[in-house]
Amino acid sequence: MTYPTGNLDDTVHQRHRLGILTIASEASRVEFTYLCEVLQLTRGNLNRHLAVLEEAGLITLEKGYDGRRPKTWIVITKEGRVALSEEITALEELIHRHRARES
């Protein structure tokens, strides 16, 4: 039997990457600038986190234009949804264990 922390995924668990996946799971796609603002990240820092998630196959990036302005949208993949769900399950197990000890 593995302790619940053994089920946490280092790629997903990092707070900004967890935020990216969670926000991306709430919409069909999310715009790069929006993620910078809500996660309070610099463009460079966000780019690095996106690269990690993209390399892991958890997101895809869509490049295009909104009028004449170039835009980048982030889309969570099926694998990303599974990884996020597994991460949330592991966190819920930890919370459950902690609360059970408090009773």
Side-chain angles (χ1 to χ4, degrees):
M1 177 178 202
T2 302
Y3 193 76
T5 54
N7 295 324
L8 296 174
D9 181 329
D10 290 337
T11 301
V12 175
H13 191 70
Q14 198 284 341
R15 71 182 177 125
H16 295 303
R17 293 193 290 264
L18 183 58
I20 292 165
L21 290 173
T22 302
I23 293 167
S25 74
E26 296 171 353
S28 60
R29 64 183 187 173
V30 61
E31 206 271 317
F32 181 92
T33 305
Y34 176 77
L35 285 177
C36 282
E37 292 171 6
V38 297
L39 296 175
Q40 299 180 337
L41 293 170
T42 64
R43 295 177 71 81
N45 200 345
L46 178 56
N47 268 322
R48 180 66 195 122
H49 289 298
L50 293 175
V52 170
L53 293 171
E54 187 176 33
E55 288 169 16
L58 304 181
I59 62 163
T60 58
L61 301 178
E62 294 180 354
K63 304 232 181 222
Y65 289 88
D66 183 12
R68 298 174 87 177
R69 293 178 178 231
K71 297 280 184 176
T72 300
W73 292 276
I74 294 82
V75 179
I76 190 169
T77 63
K78 181 180 177 182
E79 294 81 6
R81 289 185 187 283
V82 169
L84 178 60
S85 178
E86 289 172 352
E87 189 73 14
I88 290 171
T89 298
L91 291 169
E92 288 172 336
E93 289 175 24
L94 283 170
I95 291 167
H96 176 73
R97 288 179 68 105
H98 176 73
R99 290 199 173 136
R101 301 270 187 234
E102 289 180 338
S103 309

